[in-house]
Amino acid sequence: MKKTKIITTDDILLTLCQSVSGVLTSATSSNVSYSAMVQKISKTSLKPDFGCFVLFDGGFSGLVIINFTSKAALEIYTNYMRSMGMPEEELAILHTSDEVADVLGELMNQLVGHFTNQIRKTLQTHITQNQPKMLSLNKQVILSVDTNLDRPQARRVTFSTEQGNIFYLELAMDKTEFIQLEEFEVAEDESPDAILEQARQKQTPAEKDKDNVTNINPDDLLDELGI
């Protein structure tokens, strides 16, 4: 009898972690790794110094948050711009600069896009993402998924940059299982390098369409959330 293969919420989280690590490593030409230990949390939140979030919906719904320290945000931004050939004197030096928000937002768009593509191929279901949103923070903001989850689960994973700076990924989604009934072929993976190259051919960060990524004012976000 064929053994039934079951994909759980934590397997989906692992796919997300691999997308984050793979895309950021390729984009920055430096190693970005994640912890082998995952933390169960009761709620997701945006935290200082810099928070990015994106909602996805479709076969299952969820919320992805990445909270960067100022050092981690600047390191990722700087390494990415250097790999794009940006002169040192033109690089932003503050994590609150619009250029940093633009780059991190674009990278989050790419890594979540990579994640949704992997889900489509490996789980044979479809999920879509909204525009990533990001803001610099000096206080914690609690965020929840704007949908009815029967059995909500939340996880936090620690990531490290090549220089040892830390940032955190948080995922909230419904507890779910995908059960493989029949064998099927999984399409060949599209490498993070290929995804990044396609994005670079379309536009540079300086020319990036502001409609693709939303950099929002903290006060505007708090108003939207009713805080």
Side-chain angles (χ1 to χ4, degrees), residues 2-72:
K2 182 178 71 68
K3 184 178 180 181
T4 302
K5 182 179 180 181
I6 298 177
I7 304 297
T8 67
T9 305
D10 288 331
D11 294 319
I12 293 172
L13 173 63
L14 177 59
T15 299
L16 176 59
C17 289
Q18 291 170 343
S19 291
V20 173
S21 176
V23 170
L24 292 184
T25 294
S26 296
T28 63
S29 300
S30 62
N31 185 49
V32 176
S33 59
Y34 56 90
S35 170
M37 300 297 292
V38 177
Q39 181 181 2
K40 286 186 177 182
I41 56 178
S42 59
K43 56 190 176 182
T44 54
S45 59
L46 292 169
K47 298 184 179 71
D49 296 298
F50 200 94
C52 303
F53 67 96
V54 61
L55 287 162
F56 58 85
D57 199 6
F60 54 90
S61 300
L63 168 70
V64 178
I65 291 175
I66 302 183
N67 291 311
F68 295 94
T69 62
S70 58
K71 290 183 178 179

Side-chain angles (χ1 to χ4, degrees), residues 182-215:
E182 296 183 353
E183 297 291 338
F184 62 90
E185 292 186 4
V186 178
E188 184 178 349
D189 288 345
E190 185 175 12
S191 70
D193 287 328
I195 295 175
L196 290 166
E197 184 58 32
Q198 290 174 6
R200 288 169 178 168
Q201 288 176 355
K202 292 179 180 178
Q203 54 193 192
T204 64
E207 301 167 336
K208 189 174 63 61
D209 186 352
K210 298 294 183 180
D211 291 335
N212 291 335
V213 180
T214 306
N215 181 19

